[in-house]
Amino acid sequence: MKITVSVIKADIGSIAGHVRVHQDTIEVAKKKLETAKEEGLVIDYYVFNAGDDLELLITHTKGVDNPEIHELSWEIFKESAKKAKELKLYAAGQDLLKESFSGNIKGMGPGVAEIEFEERPAEPFAVFAADKTEPGAFNLPVFRIFADPFNTAGLIIDPKMHAGFKFIIMDVIEGKEIELQTPEDLYDILALIGHTGRYIIKFVYSKDPTIGVAAAVSTQRLSLIAGRYIGKDDPVCIIRAQHGLPAMGEILEAFSQAHLVKGWMRGSHHGPLMPVPLKYSQCTRFDGPPRVVGLGFNLCEGKLIGPIDLFDDPAFDLVRQKAMLITDYIRSMGPFEPHMLGPEELEYTTLPEVLKRLKNRWREST
Ligand code: F6R
Ligand code: MG
Ligand code: MG
């Protein structure tokens, strides 16, 4: 049975600043998805939050980029934003950039990650959603999961994974994408994806056509505005696990570094990506640090069995502590690079205005 897993997300407003989605707006989304389930449009759903982003996980049989599913999500975000406005929540309706729906939610503000595949006899997968960062934040963990044998033992010792994987990498600036393969293109892949603001892993495919797509990251909004730098979108990522794909533990292992990402405070700072359970899916200190939640499911004829709150585990306590040590350290740099991003990547800046004002105060340096 071919199933589509769609994760569609938007910041429709949050409580106490850009901190956390309000429960009442989550309830609005659940109610509308329950109706869609009763009507048979969707098979199943799960609604959750990543900090101030409302996340809709939807399973169905309509394929990716389906207008009905996208319109449903758009209507849900509009309805939740209406609730957010009623409650006078912060930045209500922030990510809803267009007035009316025109066939595809991409380019309208929300982020989308979708995959369609033949459901295996047992189909475990994980959904990751991050706040105060950008799609390139997933480059490092996704690379480690599918291409680094120091993370994923299966690449060496599982005959079904030994052939490697195919990566679709997007160039955000040019609006182009390229397919590269591991292990043969390993160094070329790394030459690109280390530059997380420009080259983004968008999909990973198994080389075994019976498995097909293995992972997807939400890059779509970026792609539509290619040609100029368009800033950061809090990203989502879907990764299938086991039996020819990385084990769930290999997937989670890649989040054990608290690696530095872009997008913290005003979209303008580097900070460590901290894996947290849903109860800590709220951004507090200096609007962060950037956080990622991970939910594990199994599919049963498209029905969602789960979730398991994957980072709700002492196994991630030390990573969280490490993230806070890095936070203390990097915060001490205040407005200095590399804590603050370079001028071309700042989402907020006064630099042009300051330079204009100081124009006549420069003199030749001796
Ligand atoms: C939003 C975010 C926050 C805001 C910051 C300033 O997701 O990353 O760090 O950029 O709180 O927000 P405004 O300009 O709305 O006061
Ligand atoms: Mg916000
Ligand atoms: Mg956010």
Side-chain angles (χ1 to χ4, degrees), residues 38 42 77 88 93 102 119 165 169 172 221-222 251 287 350:
E38 280 159 17
V42 312
F77 291 138
K88 287 184 72 182
S102 55
E119 184 180 301
F165 289 90
I169 296 166
V172 172
R221 182 173 156 199
L222 298 177
I251 294 171
D287 280 1
T350 51

Side-chain angles (χ1 to χ4, degrees), residues 64-140:
V64 301
D65 284 331
N66 179 268
E68 286 176 275
I69 299 296
H70 282 211
E71 185 166 18
L72 170 68
S73 307
W74 180 252
E75 291 303 322
I76 290 170
F77 291 138
K78 270 189 19 193
E79 201 66 27
S80 320
K82 202 170 134 213
K83 174 54 91 184
K85 279 174 192 154
E86 270 169 39
L87 296 173
K88 287 184 72 182
L89 296 181
Y90 193 66
Q94 174 187 286
D95 278 359
L96 309 184
L97 306 178
K98 299 276 163 76
E99 279 306 311
S100 52
F101 183 77
S102 55
N104 195 309
I105 203 164
K106 293 176 192 169
M108 301 185 74
V112 185
E114 293 185 291
I115 53 176
E116 185 188 31
F117 52 87
E118 197 67 46
E119 184 180 301
R120 296 170 294 170
E123 186 62 63
F125 73 98
V127 173
F128 297 96
D131 191 30
K132 307 301 185 253
T133 184
E134 58 174 2
F138 284 121
N139 277 5
L140 190 149

Side-chain angles (χ1 to χ4, degrees), residues 31-50:
K31 201 166 153 214
K32 287 198 77 96
L33 279 163
E34 188 58 34
T35 308
K37 187 172 166 179
E38 280 159 17
E39 287 168 354
L41 175 58
V42 312
I43 302 177
D44 212 349
Y45 66 89
Y46 189 76
V47 182
F48 63 103
N49 80 296

Side-chain angles (χ1 to χ4, degrees), residues 14-23 26 48-55 129-132 234 264 272-294 309 320 324:
S14 45
I15 180 166
H18 294 277
V19 178
R20 185 176 191 123
V21 173
H22 192 285
Q23 192 57 34
I26 290 184
F48 63 103
N49 80 296
D52 63 2
D53 294 287
L54 178 62
E55 314 276 343
D131 191 30
K132 307 301 185 253
D234 299 321
W264 190 4
L273 187 65
M274 183 162 81
V276 292
L278 284 176
K279 67 178 172 202
Y280 294 134
S281 184
Q282 55 189 33
C283 286
T284 55
R285 184 168 168 191
F286 200 55
D287 280 1
R291 290 173 202 219
V292 58
V293 292
D309 192 348
R320 289 189 271 270
M324 292 321 298

Side-chain angles (χ1 to χ4, degrees), residues 206-218:
S206 168
K207 285 184 181 171
D208 175 351
T210 63
I211 296 180
V213 66
V217 177
S218 59

